[in-house]
Amino acid sequence: MIESSYRFEPQRHEETLAALIEELEALDEWTRPAYERLLRRYPKNGCGFYSKAEILAGFRHLNAERGWRRDERRFAAKIRMKPIRTLSGVAPVTVLTKPYPCPGRCIFCPSDVRMPKSYLSDEPGAQRAAEHRFDPYRQTLSRLRALHTIGHPVDKVELIVLGGTWSSYPEAYQVWFVTRCFDALNGFEAWRRDGAIDWPDDPPVDYSTNTERIDGARPVRGYNAAVTAFAERQASEPASGDSDSDVDWERLAAAQERNEAAAARCVGLVLETRPDNLDAAEALRLRRLGTTKVQLGLQSLDDRVLAMNRRGHDVAAARRAFRLLRGMGFKIHAHWMPNLYGSTPEADVEDFERLFADPAFRPDELKIYPCSLIESAELMRHYESGAWRPYEHDELLAVLTACLVRTPEYCRVTRVVRDIPGTDIVDGNKLTNFREIAERAIDERGARRREIRSREVRARRIDPAELTLQRIDYATSAGREVFFQFVTPDDRLAAFLRLALPATPAPVEELGRSAVLREVHVYGRLVEIGGRKPGRSQHRGLGRRLIEAAADEARARGFENLAVISSVGTRRYYRSLGFTDGPLYQHRTLVAGR
């Protein structure tokens, strides 16, 4: 892949940048008008404006060349672009797997053969992946560079792997893909220090050259056949995968161990799959890869609706998947879809209520994806026949507001409505800010939103002395769950912990009858490892206090051991709290003298 030939050279702009930075640092109050006035006062080359990335590059250069010794983190935070990206305490890095046959036959799913199943080539994240031909190393390092360049710390990374059904890819490809992501995380410091990147050779297949288009209403052949035929035409890549022969489980373990002390540490690995592709062997493989969270496509809890949409599994399969994942300590991020073929607004609200009323489900996180009509989806047939229609604006608003107010405070709704470009939607809602519309409607009628995302402290300053430790207990199909949370006087969420108290032995022998820490999360703007900032919630001892509360609770319930499904980048932290390494988890005894 050819990198852009343009490279900003701050040494050619030293005097202008020095003056601009001096005035930026002197600003008492940071506002956009004040910032833009300074840009106009110090134009680049006498005409254009410096980007924030260029200003940061200048700051780093001047710090080194003129011996400023100024606080880069403080300056970067002051001019940071898109601060929301790291307001949840981690830097999310999303990468996509390559196009590959999918075991599903869902009628609502887009079929863009240039993309992994269900994704569209003009979605922003998909475009970035295609630019790098779905190479995991290139995707990961380019996102780290982009975040760092605009001022975000990236030492705590949540690595999110999206694309087709992960469990349907060959094991060799899975191991290779995750290993190369870790290689990029481990190589970030060299790039930050030296500014040079040892890019791997171009991946052999450019999927953007696949010109076949699928008409959902009148397909010549399906997605799987088209993608397989294209891959087989590429002499350099067999259809089974494109993993390096040198990458295996041992190489992955070495990359993970190196990442424990890397400048960009993986503090969470997220993979997505289907309920019918998940069994004990697959769950064990997910854990060996380092996975801590699984995105699971439920779509509906109505067997009739699932069958009408040719989902390929029933509700019983979803129940089994939830029990297995929770029993192994994974965080569960469910996908749920209103407006499916065969449903109604009223039925959707009832279906959503089952999601939390039934102890077999009760996900930790949730994406709500109203069904969108895409030309390459088989749903087009039912639309053209009049058997299905997209909800009107007010119908969809009623469903989404009902769902948001019914989401309990132990669940985080991460997304409402997919970010699909309006040009791809044949009919129906094209507003990508529908969550904002729904939340405003809820607030205007005086109702409360309790889900996690609406309560995060985000950039607000907090006083740890004013925080209150609260708990929520609820039943699951695997036992009991305790949700501990630190909240501010105005009920903002600063940190939380998920503790599983299983009723039966775990599906994996290593856990036995241990209580399990499934998640510890401290909110607020990301603070670098080892750093502390007044008013910030991170690195104030909140995580440690939550873990001790969980240990006391598990001990009181008769558990002799506490395990944690730690990520690679948090292993050292848990060792400092008395946990020891096991093959897949870390463990701490709760019995005195042992």
Side-chain angles (χ1 to χ4, degrees):
M1 189 73 63
I2 299 175
E3 292 286 294
S4 170
S5 60
Y6 172 75
R7 181 183 296 274
F8 179 69
E9 299 177 348
Q11 64 270 21
R12 298 176 59 183
H13 305 260
E14 279 192 11
E15 296 306 322
T16 305
L17 283 172
L20 172 59
I21 291 168
E22 290 282 4
E23 293 216 35
L24 285 172
E25 288 198 301
L27 282 176
D28 292 327
E29 183 179 358
W30 177 267
T31 63
R32 179 170 292 277
Y35 169 69
E36 291 177 346
R37 281 196 299 271
L38 288 178
L39 288 183
R40 288 192 292 270
R41 188 181 304 168
Y42 298 99
K44 180 171 64 173
N45 298 325
C47 53
F49 294 151
Y50 290 103
S51 70
K52 290 184 179 179
E54 290 170 340
I55 295 172
L56 276 175
F59 185 94
R60 291 162 183 150
H61 170 77
L62 292 164
N63 240 3
E65 293 300 316
R66 297 194 176 184
W68 275 3
R69 296 185 179 181
R70 299 181 184 178
D71 189 342
E72 178 186 325
R73 293 173 178 173
R74 179 178 175 274
F75 182 75
K78 194 169 189 178
I79 71 167
R80 181 174 293 137
M81 292 185 288
K82 299 183 178 179
I84 194 170
R85 284 179 176 165
T86 49
L87 281 183
S88 289
V90 296
V93 170
T94 300
V95 296
L96 265 68
T97 52
K98 67 177 182 178
Y100 194 76
C102 177
R105 298 292 187 273
C106 310
I107 67 172
F108 51 78
C109 199
S111 295
D112 186 335
V113 297
R114 297 163 294 180
M115 288 287 126
K117 195 71 164 76
S118 87
Y119 288 84
L120 295 165
S121 58
D122 51 1
E123 292 181 85
Q127 288 180 330
R128 291 193 297 265
E131 177 187 354
H132 296 286
R133 298 189 185 179
F134 304 99
D135 181 85
Y137 184 96
R138 289 170 173 271
Q139 291 184 73
T140 303
L141 191 53
S142 69
R143 292 304 296 150
L144 292 173
R145 291 170 63 202
L147 288 169
H148 174 73
T149 299
I150 59 177
H152 291 278
V154 294
D155 55 341
K156 290 181 281 191
V157 172
E158 181 178 49
L159 182 63
I160 305 168
V161 181
L162 303 178
T165 300
W166 173 264
S167 302
S168 68
Y169 287 82
E171 180 178 296
Y173 179 83
Q174 295 182 17
V175 176
W176 169 77
F177 194 97
V178 174
T179 301
R180 293 299 286 155
C181 288
F182 273 103
D183 287 344
L185 292 170
N186 295 337
F188 169 73
E189 177 59 23
W191 169 80
R192 187 170 64 178
R193 182 183 64 247
D194 303 330
I197 299 176
D198 183 19
W199 286 112
D201 293 336
D202 278 342
V205 178
D206 182 0
Y207 291 93
S208 67
T209 63
N210 190 351
T211 58
E212 184 167 348
R213 298 293 182 267
I214 296 177
D215 182 341
R218 290 164 289 276
V220 175
R221 60 177 171 180
Y223 173 90
N224 289 356
V227 168
T228 300
F230 177 79
E232 289 176 346
R233 288 197 299 270
Q234 315 303 309
S236 59
E237 182 198 46
S240 60
D242 54 358
S243 59
D244 289 350
S245 59
D246 293 338
V247 175
D248 55 18
W249 286 104
E250 185 176 352
R251 164 85 182 279
L252 171 60
Q256 291 174 334
E257 183 176 358
R258 183 183 171 197
N259 188 250
E260 292 182 16
R265 301 180 194 178
C266 180
V267 298
L269 174 59
V270 187
L271 297 172
E272 63 176 347
T273 191
R274 294 164 48 96
D276 51 330
N277 277 74
L278 192 62
D279 56 18
E282 176 62 14
L284 186 62
R285 179 161 45 245
L286 291 173
R287 186 64 198 123
R288 288 184 69 191
L289 290 167
T291 310
T292 53
K293 183 191 301 181
V294 176
Q295 294 200 29
L296 192 67
L298 298 183
Q299 320 313 0
S300 174
L301 296 180
D302 185 322
D303 280 335
R304 182 186 63 85
V305 172
L306 291 172
M308 291 180 68
N309 288 268
R310 295 174 58 195
R311 177 62 182 163
H313 66 79
D314 57 11
V315 178
R319 291 175 182 272
R320 290 190 297 270
F322 259 73
R323 183 180 178 89
L324 175 62
L325 292 173
R326 182 164 268 129
M328 291 184 63
F330 291 106
K331 293 169 282 294
I332 305 173
H333 191 169
H335 298 187
W336 180 80
M337 296 182 67
N339 201 183
L340 288 173
Y341 177 48
S343 191
T344 66
E346 296 75 20
D348 283 338
V349 175
E350 293 177 3
D351 196 70
F352 188 87
E353 289 177 337
R354 286 193 290 271
L355 193 57
F356 294 102
D358 190 337
F361 300 109
R362 297 179 172 169
D364 307 306
E365 296 185 16
L366 183 66
K367 288 181 179 178
I368 301 176
Y369 283 159
C371 185
S372 295
L373 181 63
I374 309 299
E375 189 174 11
S376 60
E378 187 181 335
L379 185 62
M380 283 292 297
R381 297 182 185 178
H382 303 287
Y383 170 75
E384 291 181 353
S385 72
W388 177 89
R389 66 171 180 84
Y391 292 164
E392 299 292 340
H393 177 93
D394 288 348
E395 290 177 308
L396 182 57
L397 179 61
V399 171
L400 295 181
T401 55
C403 292
L404 288 173
V405 298
R406 285 167 170 78
T407 305
E409 55 190 299
Y410 59 77
C411 179
R412 186 177 194 266
V413 179
T414 58
R415 185 175 288 274
V416 176
V417 179
R418 268 187 68 175
D419 190 16
I420 297 176
T423 52
D424 287 321
I425 298 174
V426 177
D427 192 8
N429 173 63
K430 298 183 180 182
L431 300 174
T432 57
N433 68 330
F434 216 104
R435 179 181 192 140
E436 180 184 344
I437 296 170
E439 290 180 342
R440 187 184 309 122
I442 292 170
D443 295 342
E444 287 175 353
R445 70 175 190 238
R448 296 189 69 188
R449 293 178 283 118
R450 302 292 299 151
E451 57 89 20
I452 289 175
R453 190 173 183 272
S454 66
R455 298 189 298 122
E456 296 173 12
V457 292
R458 302 174 85 79
R460 297 175 179 85
R461 299 178 68 86
I462 67 162
D463 180 355
E466 295 182 349
L467 297 177
T468 302
L469 179 61
Q470 300 177 357
R471 61 182 288 168
I472 301 170
D473 297 65
Y474 57 97
T476 73
S477 57
R480 298 289 301 177
E481 192 89 12
V482 184
F483 181 82
F484 289 100
Q485 57 180 346
F486 272 118
V487 296
T488 64
D490 60 347
D491 199 35
R492 292 291 176 179
L493 181 61
F496 71 82
L497 177 148
R498 302 183 191 276
L499 172 67
L501 303 169
T504 58
V508 57
E509 184 177 354
E510 181 184 338
L511 288 178
R513 300 190 69 92
S514 299
V516 182
L517 295 179
R518 296 197 304 114
E519 182 175 16
V520 181
H521 196 114
V522 179
Y523 279 114
R525 181 167 288 155
L526 197 162
V527 176
E528 295 86 351
I529 293 172
R532 288 189 65 180
K533 296 188 177 181
R536 301 282 181 85
S537 52
Q538 291 205 333
H539 304 307
R540 308 288 294 185
L542 300 184
R544 183 185 298 265
R545 290 165 62 187
L546 286 168
I547 291 169
E548 293 308 318
D552 290 343
E553 176 67 18
R555 189 182 296 108
R557 295 292 188 103
F559 288 88
E560 297 183 354
N561 296 284
L562 179 64
V564 57
I565 184 168
S566 52
S567 58
V568 170
T570 60
R571 289 173 181 170
R572 287 190 167 192
Y573 171 72
Y574 285 107
R575 289 180 196 131
S576 73
L577 299 181
F579 288 81
T580 57
D581 296 348
L584 299 174
Y585 301 84
Q586 291 180 286
H587 306 267
R588 175 172 151 183
T589 183
L590 299 177
V591 180
R594 291 179 56 187

